[in-house]
Amino acid sequence: MNPLALKIITAWNLGTINIGRALFYRLGLRFGWNPVRKIAADQPATPFFLPVVSRRMASDLPVPDFDIAGLSAFGLSADYDLSNGVPDWHRSIITGGVAPRLPWWQIPDFVDGLGDIKGVWEASRFDWVLMFARQVAAGGDDALDNLNVWLRNWCEQNPPYIGANWKCGQEASIRVMHLAMAAHLLGQVLKPASGLVDLLRAHLKRIAPTIQYAIAQDNNHGTSEATALFIGGSWLAVLFEEDIDARRWRAMGRKWLENRARRLIEKDGSFSQYSLNYHRVLLDSYSMAEIWRRTLNLPAFSNELIDKLRAATSWLGNMVSPDGGDTPNLGANDGARLLPLADTDYRDVRPSVQLASVLFAGVRAYSTPGEYDTPLHWLKVPLPDDSVSYAESHQYDHGGYVVMRRSKVMALLRYPRFRFRPGQSDLLHVDFWRDGLNLLRDGGSYSYNCDEPWQSYFPGSAAHNSVQFDRRDAMPRLSRFLFGAWPKAEKVLPLKESAEDIRAGAGYRDWKGGSHYRMLTLTDSVLTVIDEIHGFEESAVLRWRLAPGEWHWEGDGTNGGYLEGHGCRLRITASQPLVRCELVEGWESRYYSQKTPLPVLEVEVAKAGKLITELSF
């Protein structure tokens, strides 16, 4: 298939309406007809939050023990320079580069010397607003001053619509959500400080004119911006009944919340981005919208939307590993955690599952009290008595996933059902968990703007547990965030569960004729993976990306030997001769902008045939 044909087919799959929206947005910015270039807003002034009348409003939890110098970025502690008492809002915590202070539409998408712009945006997502608000609510003496001082400094250093922190509508939306949840937590929704109102209005003016661009992307940008418009618009509409803009923003937000759930969430709960962390972003956004709707006693969302969110909650709840809150490192992951109200690891999704389950299904996902209940306490959401377990063997065929569970073991098979653009070349990837340990694991994302080879490595086939043909990806890369020639699943074997085992399988044929069919069988003590491969020219490489630790060979790896590690035994047999079978060093990124080495078993063949992997535990 020639490059032009690839681009035409991919454009068709993306949707002509979406391409039109994105093109109209970019042309509007360039030639000045988009109204976002003409907006203006007053410079917000302190105070932003007022003294709290009664302490320990949210709960009887102790004062959170936060160390300002240990601010967390992307789920890990980062070296913020706080020598001036606040972060440098324009300096990247990844590269140290400084973003230009120009009107945001004049700043290019990729600035020389700056690197990944997310290193600049991270401190301006206002996670620390919730951190300080929790301290204020629980009786922290200095937290209110810190909160207002930091917000004042941010506003002074980021005047309306100047600088990189105004460049993205979703980043502005996350700030709106965090400001609103802090006001809710502190009981200042109906009587907010004037500075907070001005700051809120400035953000909504920025978000509304460009939401069509967010909608065109068919991802969490649209759901985040819809949430911010709904929350912010309804908030201002309650405070100022005659505010025409507020009513328009409220209606726009509700419209797109309904629309995005209807379009982007499949009937089985799968989300358009094929990503575990972006699925959490989706749920957290809708959870905040629902909390806000209840707080202001607004009309209920549609039954269709609630049904979709119940399914999405069940989906994420079923991805949680046995004996823990971690999940497979599946799909794109930018380090976002929209509701950092629980003192859990960034990768623990249980707080989000628990909150969404209570809000949309009316039951707990986890019956035993735990840290995952903390967001509900802070946000004043009552915990129901009834509970449900989302952990089960289940096939999500609309999204292309199979979850297989057996005692304290979980396997995940990913296969191509691409109604939306895939973010990674992870076709037929397999994840495997035992007692909370991710034994066979995905590579993650690392960074959206980094040097080679990492820019290609992490989204590519080599960073997943699958078979790579002829040292190329299963889909051709057309741009930084876009793969072409999306394959369709073939010979999908429906999930079959019996007393003896669980079985599932699927296959695909790629754009150059490479064919891969994979079948999984899981028993109480063995995971068996059978790979049938055909249609490649020179070589095929099967990879198993292993949990870091001590792995060693017993016998000859190419002649009946096996790997041992973590109490497991991994053996490979084949119907064709093996060119090589060896442990090599690979890389994974469990937290954005962080990468660490891990062992990877690579099995290379030069002929078509069958590869059989047995993982005994």
Side-chain angles (χ1 to χ4, degrees):
M1 188 180 298
N2 64 62
L4 178 60
L6 274 175
K7 292 180 179 180
I8 292 173
I9 292 173
T10 304
W12 179 262
N13 289 334
L14 290 172
T16 55
I17 293 177
N18 284 340
I19 292 176
R21 284 170 171 152
L23 182 62
F24 189 77
Y25 162 80
R26 293 192 177 278
L27 292 175
L29 281 187
R30 181 175 180 179
F31 295 109
W33 69 63
N34 190 308
V36 76
R37 287 187 49 172
K38 301 178 178 66
I39 59 175
D42 295 332
Q43 178 75 354
T46 54
F48 298 93
F49 287 92
L50 305 170
V52 175
V53 176
S54 61
R55 295 296 189 180
R56 303 189 185 280
M57 298 172 54
S59 69
D60 292 327
L61 296 174
V63 179
D65 183 21
F66 292 123
D67 179 5
I68 294 176
L71 279 180
S72 175
F74 310 126
L76 289 175
S77 61
D79 293 328
Y80 284 97
D81 179 4
L82 300 178
S83 57
N84 294 321
V86 295
D88 183 339
W89 308 110
H90 302 280
R91 184 177 298 277
S92 170
I93 59 173
I94 299 174
T95 66
V98 178
R101 302 194 190 189
L102 301 169
W104 68 263
W105 61 85
Q106 295 179 12
I107 300 175
D109 291 341
F110 301 100
V111 179
D112 290 341
L114 182 63
D116 191 343
I117 197 171
K118 286 183 58 57
V120 175
W121 287 346
E122 181 69 7
S124 293
R125 285 191 159 186
F126 285 11
D127 287 20
W128 46 266
V129 168
L130 290 174
M131 177 185 84
F132 287 137
R134 288 172 64 188
Q135 290 180 322
V136 173
D141 294 334
D142 300 327
L144 182 62
D145 287 341
N146 287 330
L147 178 55
N148 281 315
V149 166
W150 282 42
L151 283 171
R152 180 185 66 195
N153 185 268
W154 189 90
C155 291
E156 290 171 352
Q157 298 300 315
N158 295 273
Y161 321 127
I162 302 296
N165 289 315
W166 288 102
K167 183 171 176 58
C168 177
Q170 184 182 38
E171 297 301 312
S173 298
I174 293 172
R175 291 195 288 271
V176 168
M177 288 184 251
H178 285 163
L179 291 169
M181 291 301 106
H184 174 67
L185 194 156
L186 296 174
Q188 297 183 22
V189 172
L190 297 181
K191 293 184 178 180
S194 59
L196 182 57
V197 172
D198 291 341
L199 184 57
L200 174 70
R201 188 180 297 277
H203 278 75
L204 297 177
K205 285 183 176 181
R206 163 64 187 89
I207 299 164
T210 60
I211 192 173
Q212 289 291 337
Y213 179 66
I215 298 303
Q217 298 177 64
D218 273 343
N219 62 15
N220 67 88
H221 282 245
T223 59
S224 299
E225 296 184 30
T227 298
L229 288 171
F230 174 75
I231 288 175
S234 60
W235 194 356
L236 293 179
V238 167
L239 297 175
F240 310 101
E241 294 182 1
E242 302 303 318
D243 191 324
I244 296 176
D245 285 337
R247 295 202 300 269
R248 177 171 59 86
W249 293 330
R250 178 183 62 192
M252 188 185 303
R254 179 182 282 270
K255 166 192 169 181
W256 288 117
L257 282 172
E258 293 279 356
N259 175 280
R260 295 294 83 187
R262 186 165 54 249
R263 173 168 172 76
L264 304 183
I265 304 175
E266 305 285 4
K267 291 181 179 180
D268 60 13
S270 304
F271 179 47
S272 64
Q273 285 188 273
Y274 315 116
S275 158
L276 266 294
N277 196 59
Y278 283 144
H279 199 107
R280 173 169 64 176
V281 168
L282 165 84
L283 276 183
D284 283 348
S285 298
Y286 277 96
S287 290
M288 284 186 272
E290 174 63 11
I291 288 170
W292 201 257
R293 185 199 68 76
R294 296 183 184 188
T295 299
L296 297 184
N297 196 28
L298 301 174
F301 293 116
S302 70
N303 291 334
E304 181 183 12
L305 182 147
I306 299 301
D307 288 343
K308 287 290 188 77
L309 293 174
R310 286 196 194 103
T313 302
S314 177
W315 187 98
L316 186 60
N318 198 19
M319 296 291 168
V320 176
S321 68
D323 290 346
D326 202 352
T327 60
N329 203 13
L330 189 72
N333 179 353
D334 72 346
R337 178 166 55 165
L338 294 195
L339 264 179
L341 293 175
D343 298 329
T344 54
D345 185 83
Y346 158 80
R347 295 187 55 83
D348 189 341
V349 303
R350 289 175 298 179
S352 296
V353 173
Q354 183 81 314
L355 178 61
S357 182
V358 170
L359 290 174
F360 304 123
V363 293
R364 303 184 191 208
Y366 311 102
S367 57
T368 304
E371 184 64 30
Y372 38 70
D373 295 327
T374 304
L376 289 93
H377 293 309
W378 287 115
L379 297 172
K380 310 178 187 71
V381 177
L383 276 165
D385 294 328
D386 295 337
S387 63
V388 65
S389 174
Y390 293 116
E392 62 174 347
S393 293
H394 194 91
Q395 185 159 16
Y396 302 93
D397 190 54
H398 290 281
Y401 311 90
V402 178
V403 176
M404 308 167 75
R405 290 183 179 268
R406 202 90 172 172
S407 184
K408 292 187 177 181
V409 164
M410 179 180 79
L412 169 70
L413 171 64
R414 173 82 182 104
Y415 59 92
R417 289 290 197 207
F418 296 141
R419 193 161 71 93
F420 301 94
R421 59 175 173 170
Q424 296 197 342
S425 185
D426 58 357
L427 311 184
L428 302 188
H429 168 81
V430 169
D431 240 66
F432 183 75
W433 297 72
R434 177 173 177 252
D435 294 331
L437 177 62
N438 192 186
L439 284 159
L440 305 178
R441 49 179 59 191
D442 201 316
S445 295
Y446 180 51
S447 174
Y448 291 167
N449 181 16
C450 58
D451 295 333
E452 293 292 356
W454 311 116
Q455 189 69 53
S456 298
Y457 174 79
F458 281 96
S461 298
H464 302 94
N465 293 325
S466 189
V467 176
Q468 182 180 26
F469 296 134
D470 297 322
R471 301 290 174 178
R472 59 177 170 78
D473 287 334
M475 298 176 287
R477 185 185 290 275
L478 302 183
S479 68
R480 184 181 299 267
F481 299 114
L482 183 62
F483 285 104
W486 310 344
K488 296 181 179 180
E490 298 178 351
K491 299 185 290 186
V492 175
L493 175 66
L495 179 70
K496 295 182 179 180
E497 187 168 8
S498 68
E500 291 76 28
D501 58 37
I502 310 170
R503 296 171 181 257
Y508 72 91
R509 183 180 300 275
D510 74 11
W511 59 303
K512 287 198 170 183
S515 174
H516 182 192
Y517 180 79
R518 169 166 277 183
M519 189 176 82
L520 274 64
T521 303
L522 179 64
T523 70
D524 290 333
S525 59
V526 180
L527 171 69
T528 303
V529 181
I530 300 176
D531 293 302
E532 298 180 25
I533 52 176
H534 303 275
F536 54 95
E537 294 181 0
E538 296 180 1
S539 69
V541 178
L542 167 65
R543 289 184 179 87
W544 293 116
R545 303 167 52 81
L546 307 172
E550 190 68 29
W551 291 88
H552 61 273
W553 284 107
E554 292 290 339
D556 183 354
T558 60
N559 186 26
Y562 54 84
L563 269 178
E564 280 196 343
H566 294 288
C568 299
R569 178 176 296 178
L570 182 63
R571 185 193 303 273
I572 307 288
T573 57
S575 65
Q576 67 274 59
L578 301 185
V579 175
R580 63 184 178 93
C581 180
E582 61 180 337
L583 274 177
V584 301
E585 183 179 70
W587 294 85
E588 68 174 347
S589 176
R590 289 173 52 79
Y591 301 89
Y592 193 79
S593 83
Q594 304 286 327
K595 66 180 188 296
T596 53
L598 83 168
V600 181
L601 176 61
E602 291 191 347
V603 180
E604 183 174 358
V605 296
K607 296 182 178 180
K610 183 182 295 185
L611 295 164
I612 301 175
T613 302
E614 288 187 336
L615 179 64
S616 305
F617 47 89

